[in-house]
């Protein structure tokens, strides 16, 4: 009889980290939730510690050691670049060696990559993530992953909560300058965000760490209430988001033999909740990209990390 | 015989501070140049010291004391808000008291405000500043000052070097994602800014203090070379800048009895140099805002500070 094989997948972000330990058939043996592991914020060492704590918890629960795990795959926020992925993987290896139980194999991926894998059980499909930032990931029939967007708030936040918040503030200042029409957003910022006047808005806006995306729900509310300016902001962001999706759809079609509809899943509350914005994105997709079929993700991102780990030990 | 009256004007920014000491008739008695006085960067105390050093130098040169100056007016970068202006004026007063020669009257203004005053010798007119940021200031026949823009890089950099640089980067990433057409800007960033690939661009872009506006000259070059994408970036920024100017022109017309053309002056190398962008802005102004007459500024901003000081002692 072959000895039991274990893998572990992790999904780490700015508020929490999820872990799932599975057998070689993908059966979930245990799972756990730990603290944040965004290494861009807390540093690679601290992130590696959080991850190893979770790995140890899971191993303890099924009665194995870290050294017995065939593979550790961590999908982390901010881990989009190969250099960062390698640096973070080294830190996890070093931390497990320090704990006297060196791991066999470690792979670090972006959170979007594992979300893609989880959403379609490792099969081809497209995920569209719109949270504070935005990114589109698509996997074609050959297993090649294509991306669009995800370049950060200065150059690549198209259709994200940040972009919606920023454009709402822009519209408020255009109204102050009489460059643009009056908007209900001005009052909403005063009331709900406690930003009394333009001085208070500017002071808040340029303070380190101000959450521009936190304004997005107010824009949804204003649009629902019929505010023309809020609707323009959301329609433009929906156009931008569909503009991110289109090239990924083209690449998937180009690499596929059959032209059957591609499954597409939304992630992030901007899109998964019903609101003026998500309605608009859905409607644009129907008309602009009819070859796409919107569906709910099959499994959470943490299970996507497990699937990548399993793929690694099989190949 | 009435005793001689003196005033001093200062123009302070991130790289240097200029000072001009004048008599009550506006005759320049002496001038001097000192270090930077951007209080947002170096702090109010250090900025006040730099300013007082320059004031002392000028006073020494004409043989008067600080206490004999009727008025000190400083136009400073980043001093757009009343709260900051009051804080900075207090610091100058405190520093002059510390030096044993308390000043009579201190007023702090934005650098744009003194530039407006200098450009038209205190008369009505509009200045359009496009450097790293952008702002439009107009003074009407009643002496009321109207502004548009100047809300900083997140929400108000329309038509600025920052906006042009940001949109150029956006276009390069759109080309990478195949969302947008190929552009000569990609190669230019590689060659002239030493940004080898998208990883290098992203790393540079999100590093504290990266100068996005420094890319603007490359965009001008690419546009001159016929690059379609660079031209679109510049045309859009030109539209945005004229969009900032239009409401100020409307306000000046509304408050003026006669509808004669208003003088308008450009500041900042983006506009004062001949390039694809400044050509476009000039051409748009001719067609969109024909009531405006472009002219060179009559005097530099530091003399505008003097004019405000003189106005203060006369009223």
């Amino acid at each position: 009889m072959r000895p039991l094989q274990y893998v572990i997948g992790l999904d780490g972000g700015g508020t929490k980290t999820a872990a799932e330990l599975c057998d070689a058939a993908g059966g979930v043996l245990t799972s756990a939730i730990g603290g944040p592991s965004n290494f861009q914020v807390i540093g690679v060492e601290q992130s590696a510690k959080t991850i190893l704590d979770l790995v140890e918890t899971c191993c303890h629960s099924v009665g194995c050691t870290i050294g017995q795990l065939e593979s550790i795959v961590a999908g982390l926020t901010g881990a989009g670049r190969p250099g960062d992925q390698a640096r973070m993987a080294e830190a996890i290896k070093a931390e497990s060696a320090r704990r006297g139980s060196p791991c066999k194999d470690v792979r670090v991926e972006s959170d979007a990559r594992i979300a893609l894998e989880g959403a379609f059980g490792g099969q081809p499909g497209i995920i569209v993530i719109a949270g504070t930032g935005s990114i589109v990931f698509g996997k074609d029939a050959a297993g090649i992953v294509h991306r669009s967007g995800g370049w950060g708030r200065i150059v690549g936040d198209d259709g994200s909560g940040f972009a919606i918040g920023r454009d709402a503030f822009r519209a408020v200042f255009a109204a102050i300058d009489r460059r643009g029409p009056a908007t209900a957003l001005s009052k909403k910022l005063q009331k709900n965000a406690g930003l009394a006047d333009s001085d208070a808005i500017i002071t808040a806006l340029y303070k380190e760490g101000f959450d521009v995306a936190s304004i997005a729900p107010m824009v949804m509310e204003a649009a629902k209430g019929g505010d023309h300016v809020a609707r323009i902001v959301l329609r433009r962001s929906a156009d931008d988001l569909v503009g991110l999706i289109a090239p990924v759809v083209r690449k998937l079609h180009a690499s596929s033999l059959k032209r059957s509809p591609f499954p597409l899943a939304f992630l992030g509350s901007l899109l998964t909740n019903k609101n003026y914005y998500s309605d608009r994105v859905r409607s644009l997709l129907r008309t602009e990209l009819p070859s796409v079929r919107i569906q709910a993700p099959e499994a959470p991102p943490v299970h996507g990390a497990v699937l990548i780990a399993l793929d690694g030990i099989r190949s």
Side-chain angles (χ1 to χ4, degrees), chain A residues 40-102:
Chain A
Q40 307 272 24
V41 175
I42 64 174
V44 288
E45 273 80 25
Q46 188 53 46
S47 174
K49 277 180 197 163
T50 302
I51 287 167
L52 261 294
D53 285 351
L54 265 169
V55 171
E56 278 183 342
T57 302
C58 289
C59 285
H60 185 76
S61 144
V62 300
C64 71
T65 65
I66 297 175
Q68 283 180 277
L69 296 170
E70 299 298 326
S71 178
I72 298 174
V73 171
L76 304 177
T77 296
R81 284 170 284 170
D84 285 342
Q85 293 170 357
R87 202 158 54 95
M88 194 56 218
E90 281 312 310
I92 294 172
K93 277 181 203 159
E95 180 64 21
S96 70
R98 201 171 296 123
R99 295 185 184 201
S101 191

Side-chain angles (χ1 to χ4, degrees), chain A residues 11 19 130-131 153 173 181 194 196 206 228 268 280 285 299:
Chain A
D11 172 22
R153 69 192 184 285
F173 283 109
Y206 292 95
H228 184 61
R280 183 79 185 178
L285 280 176

